[in-house]
Amino acid sequence: MLPAAARLRRSEDFRAVMRRGAKAGRRRLVVHALTTDPPDAAEAARAGFVVSKAVGNSVVRHRVARRLRHLVSARLGTLPPGSSLVIRALPPAADASSAELGSDLDASLRRLGLSGKSQARPPDNGSAV
């Protein structure tokens, strides 16, 4: 679960991100992103999710939302401070694995110019094996 400070809750916040922010679409999801300019280092990155009935019944929608929440929570620390995301699941997300959703999320974040890596790679010391 995302901490309270990392969640978008008000419909006005969702509307602002979706109308004024940039978007990047993939087969299973669309990511809308809005960053504050200049970034406020004290403000944490926030995320919200839209999973409509087109994705499936209640059980399927909640499963997709849980998977997306888990994937985004691992990536929130890599996003610029003050940025807001709205992740909108599309109907193919119902049959997607977590790995497929993660790759679509990472590709969308890279396309938007945001970091899509959940963990930094260790430095290469040039040692050959």
Side-chain angles (χ1 to χ4, degrees):
M1 177 164 246
L2 293 174
R7 291 189 302 232
L8 289 177
R9 295 190 213 186
R10 299 178 336 162
S11 63
E12 297 85 25
D13 295 339
F14 277 85
R15 197 174 305 118
V17 173
M18 292 180 82
R19 286 188 180 167
R20 294 186 315 187
K23 76 175 179 177
R26 304 299 290 174
R27 183 174 179 271
R28 298 169 192 93
L29 51 88
V30 177
V31 177
H32 299 265
L34 182 64
T35 55
T36 57
D37 201 24
D40 183 7
E43 191 176 329
R46 302 181 312 158
F49 304 92
V50 177
V51 185
S52 74
K53 286 185 178 182
V55 174
N57 65 23
S58 165
V59 174
V60 172
R61 291 193 312 268
H62 283 89
R63 183 182 328 122
V64 169
R66 279 194 309 270
R67 286 179 177 172
L68 289 173
R69 221 177 9 251
H70 176 75
L71 293 167
V72 169
S73 68
R75 291 160 176 80
L76 270 182
T78 64
L79 298 174
S83 59
S84 297
L85 296 178
V86 172
I87 295 92
R88 186 167 45 97
L90 300 175
D95 301 322
S97 68
S98 292
E100 292 169 332
L101 290 173
S103 67
D104 280 357
L105 179 62
D106 288 339
S108 296
L109 291 174
R110 278 193 304 274
R111 186 165 180 201
L112 291 168
L114 303 171
S115 175
K117 300 289 181 193
S118 60
Q119 297 177 350
R121 291 179 53 193
D124 184 15
N125 296 333
S127 60
V129 178

